[in-house]
Amino acid sequence: MFGGKIFLLLSYTDSSQTNHLLMNLLFAFLLLLPFQTETGNDSMQSVQIESSIDQVTVYRDGALVRRSSEVQLPAGTSQLVFTGLTRQIYEETITLRTGQGSIRLLSINTRLNQVGSSAKREEVDSLTVVRQSLEDEITLINADQTNLTRELNLLAANQSLTGGQGVDLSGLKEAMEYYRERYRTIESRKIETDKQLERLSKTLDEVNRKISELENEIRRQSNEVVAVIDSPGNQSTSLELSYVAYRAGWTPSYDVRYSGANSPLVLDYKAEIFQDTGEDWNQVNLTISSGQNQRGNSVPDISTEYVDFQPEESAMKMDAQRSLNEVVATAALAETAPGVSVRTDEQIRFSYEIQEPHSISSGNRAVLPFHREETDVDIDHITVPKLNSGVFLVAEIDDWESLHLIDGEASLFMNGSFTGKSRITTEVFDESLRLSLGQNDFILAERNRVRDVTSRNFFGNRTRENHGWEIVLRNTGSEPVSVTVKDQIPVSRQSDISVELTERSGATFNESTGILEWDVNLDPGQTRNIPFSYRLEYPRDRELSNF
């Protein structure tokens, strides 16, 4: 082809200079031909690889998916195409490993598999036209039924004809025959349209279902990972492709079981695993990890913080606002069947490898018990009757750091019976972790105002208030118990307001928080009364807020 064009061009021109230039071009072209032929024969081969998921490590906010495959690699440069993968991939996490043999990875990236998407979209478009036609026909039939109903009502309103109204007998018979025949026609037509509506509705439901399926398939269109590798020779090897997929994770929960005095506290760990990655996990080896991929991993840098005076105008506005919203008394209580697994403690996280394979299809959830711990606890009863009349059973766990707990909901079981819900919170810096086990219904608590002590009087330019309270505890159970009771008096933040504890009934008192605490021992059937009182004094022309 090229030779023919060049020959014609040479025979057409008479210029020797032009002929010389074209001869040089022809010579260069002939030199390049062998190189181009050689390159074309040595083109990169593409190898389609179907892999299967055999292991998944589920993080709190993602999942590390590992796929394996056996492949025959040709010598030289090849393009490996891993098909049928999820679209929910963090591309920077893709890793390719080889078993036996050796290969050199030249590049790796992802691409969307477009095969079949256009055909599915065309099918959706065609079905959408069919759906519109069905909806139009259903609308027409509904209108027809409305008209039939109106005609029936009209016939019923005009059928009261009698001979006394000037209609002879023959005319009456003709009218009755007409009404009878018309009624029959309309009822038959209504029955026919009802059947048509039923058929059309079923067809419309089927069309909508098919459209939904196709749209889901298009949305869940698979990804491909394309790896360009160099192999030193023909070889059979195993490949492992791994990546982190989003739209997956797990949340912790616990079953907490306690059987009474001298029994350990039993913690059954559970993981609610969710995944909507677009690929099913069929009989895979699962590992539960405490890691969080989206958590910030960069050390924060603290910068200089400067303090300065506000502009005088702003300061005056703040002083005026403060005087209006002045808080003179405030106080607040300052209380802020398991699966088998093997735990692995890493440097910055821990994980549990579940020993049995599990299946979780995309779009579904699964709750898996995966670990059990038994620990000794100190049991106490605590009540704060000002806020809640319940008496709570509380377990104190000393060596709680070794349990590797994560904040989560806890289902409570006492002596095998479900008693309610609680929550395990580990964001504490105390030596022991407190876990509420629910309320003890055998211990009753109430808090009542003592009217004889409560009063309000004026002394000169000062107001004096006396407040008296009484806490009543009763043990209706058959065993002695020890109860920690907490209450409070207000704390002043103003020099013009004085607060004095006038009766404490042996309570320990924290002046900075205003919290009172009693340790009370109750025998079976015993009742204890705990009175306490305090006095407030403040300027007569002022009122207390938040009190």
Side-chain angles (χ1 to χ4, degrees):
M1 177 180 177
F2 287 101
K5 287 185 178 180
I6 294 171
F7 173 77
L8 290 173
L9 186 61
L10 288 174
S11 62
Y12 176 78
T13 181
D14 295 330
S15 172
S16 60
Q17 183 177 1
T18 303
N19 286 340
H20 179 71
L21 176 60
L22 291 174
M23 289 298 295
N24 288 338
L25 289 173
L26 177 60
F27 180 70
F29 172 75
L30 293 174
L31 287 177
L32 287 173
L33 268 180
F35 173 77
Q36 291 174 347
T37 304
E38 182 181 352
T39 304
N41 293 337
D42 195 30
S43 60
M44 182 169 54
Q45 299 186 51
S46 181
V47 180
Q48 299 286 318
I49 298 177
E50 293 185 0
S51 57
S52 60
I53 301 174
D54 53 17
Q55 186 174 353
V56 177
T57 299
V58 186
Y59 301 115
R60 301 284 301 283
D61 55 357
L64 174 62
V65 179
R66 291 186 173 91
R67 289 175 166 269
S68 62
S69 59
E70 298 292 330
V71 63
Q72 181 70 37
L73 296 178
T77 303
S78 300
Q79 177 179 267
L80 309 182
V81 182
F82 293 84
T83 60
L85 309 182
T86 174
R87 295 177 62 180
Q88 326 298 336
I89 293 179
Y90 291 111
E91 190 167 348
E92 65 273 13
T93 65
I94 299 174
T95 304
L96 182 63
R97 294 186 177 89
T98 183
Q100 303 82 17
S102 62
I103 61 173
R104 187 163 61 97
L105 181 63
L106 303 180
S107 67
I108 191 166
N109 53 59
T110 63
R111 71 185 184 193
L112 191 61
N113 182 3
Q114 300 288 351
V115 177
S117 62
S118 59
K120 288 185 175 65
R121 178 51 61 190
E122 290 176 0
E123 189 174 356
V124 168
D125 294 339
S126 299
L127 288 172
T128 302
V129 174
V130 173
R131 177 172 62 184
Q132 185 61 51
S133 176
L134 290 169
E135 290 174 346
D136 292 343
E137 192 169 354
I138 289 174
T139 301
L140 290 175
I141 293 177
N142 282 326
D144 193 12
Q145 284 195 330
T146 300
N147 291 330
L148 291 172
T149 302
R150 288 174 179 172
E151 188 173 355
L152 280 176
N153 294 336
L154 184 62
L155 289 173
N158 291 277
Q159 65 181 354
S160 56
L161 297 176
T162 63
Q165 295 175 311
V167 181
D168 59 15
L169 184 60
S170 61
L172 181 61
K173 291 177 63 176
E174 289 179 3
M176 292 178 63
E177 184 66 27
Y178 169 76
Y179 281 123
R180 186 183 304 112
E181 184 63 27
R182 193 61 193 152
Y183 268 119
R184 183 184 298 113
T185 301
I186 293 174
E187 293 293 347
S188 298
R189 178 60 181 159
K190 287 189 69 175
I191 294 173
E192 181 182 349
T193 55
D194 285 339
K195 291 180 179 179
Q196 288 178 335
L197 278 177
E198 184 179 0
R199 288 194 298 269
L200 290 172
S201 297
K202 287 182 179 179
T203 305
L204 180 62
D205 290 341
E206 182 64 23
V207 170
N208 283 329
R209 185 189 63 80
K210 184 61 177 178
I211 291 175
S212 179
E213 288 180 357
L214 289 170
E215 288 179 340
N216 285 334
E217 290 177 8
I218 293 172
R219 282 195 299 269
R220 294 175 59 176
Q221 194 174 10
S222 64
N223 240 358
E224 293 179 343
V225 169
V226 180
V228 178
I229 60 101
D230 183 69
S231 175
N234 296 326
Q235 58 175 316
S236 297
T237 185
S238 59
L239 297 177
E240 181 190 87
L241 178 71
S242 64
Y243 49 84
V244 174
Y246 50 94
R247 291 189 183 176
W250 71 284
T251 55
S253 62
Y254 305 88
D255 287 343
V256 180
R257 306 178 188 275
Y258 185 66
S259 300
N262 302 320
S263 298
L265 188 74
V266 179
L267 295 167
D268 288 334
Y269 297 52
K270 297 187 298 183
E272 182 179 1
I273 301 173
F274 62 91
Q275 75 106 338
D276 191 20
T277 61
E279 54 189 11
D280 297 334
W281 301 345
N282 295 319
Q283 290 298 298
V284 300
N285 297 316
L286 285 174
T287 298
I288 308 299
S289 174
S290 65
Q292 291 180 268
N293 289 304
Q294 299 305 305
R295 179 173 55 188
N297 293 315
S298 299
V299 178
D301 187 18
I302 191 168
S303 58
T304 305
E305 181 179 14
Y306 297 97
V307 62
D308 202 347
F309 290 110
Q310 288 188 352
E312 291 186 5
E313 183 179 354
S314 299
M316 291 175 63
K317 289 182 180 179
M318 288 192 63
D319 288 341
Q321 186 67 30
R322 188 180 296 114
S323 65
L324 291 174
N325 300 327
E326 191 171 17
V327 178
V328 295
T330 182
L333 289 176
E335 291 296 321
T336 55
V340 180
S341 63
V342 176
R343 189 176 74 202
T344 303
D345 295 341
E346 304 172 24
Q347 188 171 0
I348 58 175
R349 64 185 61 171
F350 55 86
S351 59
Y352 292 89
E353 181 181 348
I354 299 177
Q355 297 299 289
E356 296 181 359
H358 287 82
S359 297
I360 305 175
S361 57
S362 180
N364 288 325
R365 293 172 176 262
V367 178
L368 302 181
F370 63 90
H371 187 63
R372 167 173 284 185
E373 289 279 0
E374 295 185 2
T375 182
D376 294 330
V377 293
D378 294 326
I379 299 296
D380 193 10
H381 287 83
I382 298 177
T383 183
V384 188
K386 178 182 179 180
L387 304 178
N388 191 314
S389 61
V391 179
F392 295 85
L393 188 67
V394 177
E396 290 194 3
I397 307 172
D398 290 333
D399 189 25
W400 63 272
E401 296 91 344
S402 63
L403 301 178
H404 290 84
L405 299 170
I406 303 175
D407 291 7
E409 187 179 72
S411 299
L412 307 177
F413 297 86
M414 292 287 293
N415 297 315
S417 299
F418 175 75
T419 59
K421 297 279 189 179
S422 185
R423 185 167 181 82
I424 292 179
T425 303
T426 61
E427 294 181 356
V428 295
F429 295 92
D430 297 331
E431 293 183 359
S432 61
L433 176 69
R434 283 189 170 185
L435 176 62
S436 177
L437 301 179
Q439 298 187 31
N440 189 335
D441 294 335
F442 292 107
I443 307 175
L444 308 178
E446 61 181 21
R447 182 181 191 257
N448 303 312
R449 182 182 290 276
V450 181
R451 300 295 178 184
D452 296 340
V453 177
T454 302
S455 63
R456 185 182 188 188
N457 301 298
F458 300 101
F459 293 89
N461 63 350
R462 303 281 292 177
T463 300
R464 177 181 293 176
E465 294 184 7
N466 292 297
H467 296 271
W469 296 92
E470 183 180 59
I471 298 172
V472 182
L473 295 177
R474 180 172 178 80
N475 181 7
T476 65
S478 59
E479 296 181 357
V481 294
S482 175
V483 183
T484 298
V485 183
K486 293 186 177 184
D487 215 301
Q488 66 182 163
I489 67 172
V491 176
S492 172
R493 295 193 296 183
Q494 300 289 339
S495 60
D496 279 348
I497 303 173
S498 66
V499 183
E500 179 186 357
L501 179 63
T502 55
E503 183 179 4
R504 69 172 66 188
S505 296
T508 59
F509 177 55
N510 187 322
E511 293 187 7
S512 62
T513 63
I515 294 178
L516 298 158
E517 188 170 313
W518 297 266
D519 291 326
V520 181
N521 295 317
L522 290 174
D523 294 326
Q526 184 180 6
T527 300
R528 285 283 304 274
N529 297 70
I530 307 173
F532 72 98
S533 59
Y534 59 91
R535 179 181 296 124
L536 291 172
E537 285 192 15
Y538 53 91
R540 185 172 181 173
D541 60 347
R542 303 294 297 274
E543 292 293 332
L544 301 181
S545 65
N546 300 332
F547 183 73

